[in-house]
Amino acid sequence: MDDLDQRAAAFAQEVQDTLAGVLPGTFQIVSISHGGRYVVRPAGDEPAKQHIPMYVDGQKLATLGVQNYLGLDSSGRFLKTWRSKIAVHSTLDRTPLVRQEFDAEISESAPLAHWHIHADRGSLSHLLGRAHAVRGDVVRKPHDMSSLHFPVGGERFRPCLEDVLEFLVREFGIDSKPGWEAAIKAGRARWRRMQLRSTVRDLQDEAAEVLRQYGWTVNPPSLDRSEGNGVLHRW
């Protein structure tokens, strides 16, 4: 558990470095023991305070919530994010604008990783309303777009925090620090290398075949190999 504590603390520092390299203001990312795992999130005694302020031309217009629940994977060797949530809230009300969520233990009825969009559009409500009339067990909230789960690539290929931060800076116009692109690129490269390593562990035969095509000599171990649960088929 001490090793998990140290790994979670190191992860929290990486998140701190990325956020501090992009967003102005003062905030602290902490790692806290939570039910046998660790949650990495902004510091704060109450949920309402566990958000990072975001500004447009110096005016606070939104907040960013970031949560990562960390533990060891099924092998007990590697750090794993079991659940995460990134949410952007307007300062005008308590309703989120957008949410990106991931849950490795979610039921088959929803994608492991997904976006929730808190918005309205008449034509979409019309489609969902008609579907609700005949498939009410599937379309339960036809007038609530935020109830939809937009899939984003499953466990291994989901967007990272850096993708969301760049989206907020480039398309929401959120204030950023000089040189923010470098912090984004460094964090994104770290994330993608980590995800690639995890994918290779899940799909070792495919990784070995690609390496052979490029001239590597790769010999399979004598132990049986099993593909990662859900990496190919879970949405």
Side-chain angles (χ1 to χ4, degrees):
M1 186 61 69
D2 289 341
D3 183 53
L4 177 57
D5 176 50
Q6 295 172 8
R7 294 193 203 183
F11 183 89
Q13 186 61 55
E14 291 175 356
V15 174
Q16 173 79 42
D17 292 343
T18 295
L19 290 167
V22 176
L23 299 176
T26 302
F27 47 82
Q28 181 182 10
I29 302 300
V30 295
S31 173
I32 299 173
S33 180
H34 181 87
R37 295 174 180 170
Y38 283 80
V39 58
V40 171
R41 59 162 175 77
D45 297 333
E46 303 173 6
K49 297 180 180 179
Q50 296 164 11
H51 291 263
I52 298 168
M54 295 192 295
Y55 306 88
V56 175
D57 196 26
Q59 181 181 0
K60 181 180 174 182
L61 294 180
T63 63
L64 177 68
V66 180
Q67 296 178 349
N68 289 274
Y69 290 83
L70 307 177
L72 297 178
D73 69 355
S74 57
S75 72
R77 297 173 56 196
F78 302 100
L79 189 68
K80 177 182 176 67
T81 298
W82 286 93
R83 183 158 57 97
S84 67
K85 181 177 180 180
I86 303 173
V88 177
H89 289 73
S90 169
T91 57
L92 294 179
D93 55 39
R94 296 183 180 181
T95 302
L97 300 175
V98 293
R99 290 179 289 143
Q100 186 210 93
E101 298 182 352
F102 164 71
D103 190 341
E105 299 169 304
I106 200 170
S107 67
E108 296 280 350
S109 62
L112 294 173
H114 52 265
W115 279 103
H116 290 281
I117 311 298
H118 292 253
D120 296 307
R121 186 180 176 189
S123 55
L124 180 60
S125 293
H126 175 72
L127 185 157
L128 295 176
R130 295 289 294 172
H132 173 73
V134 295
R135 298 190 179 92
D137 60 324
V138 175
V139 182
R140 297 183 177 89
K141 298 180 178 180
H143 303 298
D144 184 3
M145 185 175 173
S146 67
S147 68
L148 300 176
H149 301 73
F150 292 86
V152 287
E155 180 171 1
R156 297 301 181 215
F157 306 108
R158 68 190 192 273
C160 58
L161 172 63
E162 290 76 10
D163 295 331
V164 177
L165 288 172
E166 184 159 357
F167 166 64
L168 292 172
V169 172
R170 292 194 184 277
E171 306 212 14
F172 275 49
I174 295 298
D175 290 354
S176 59
K177 289 183 175 180
W180 65 271
E181 297 97 331
I184 290 289
K185 289 179 179 179
R188 181 182 286 135
R190 183 170 57 244
W191 163 266
R192 291 184 177 176
R193 288 181 186 278
M194 179 177 63
Q195 290 301 92
L196 177 60
R197 288 173 179 270
S198 298
T199 303
V200 168
R201 290 198 299 270
D202 288 333
L203 302 173
Q204 297 176 35
D205 289 339
E206 279 72 14
E209 179 59 28
V210 171
L211 289 173
R212 292 190 188 101
Q213 292 174 3
Y214 282 85
W216 291 69
T217 300
V218 183
N219 297 315
S222 57
L223 298 175
D224 292 336
R225 298 176 306 285
S226 60
E227 293 181 342
N229 181 31
V231 68
L232 290 177
H233 305 293
R234 282 299 308 272
W235 65 328

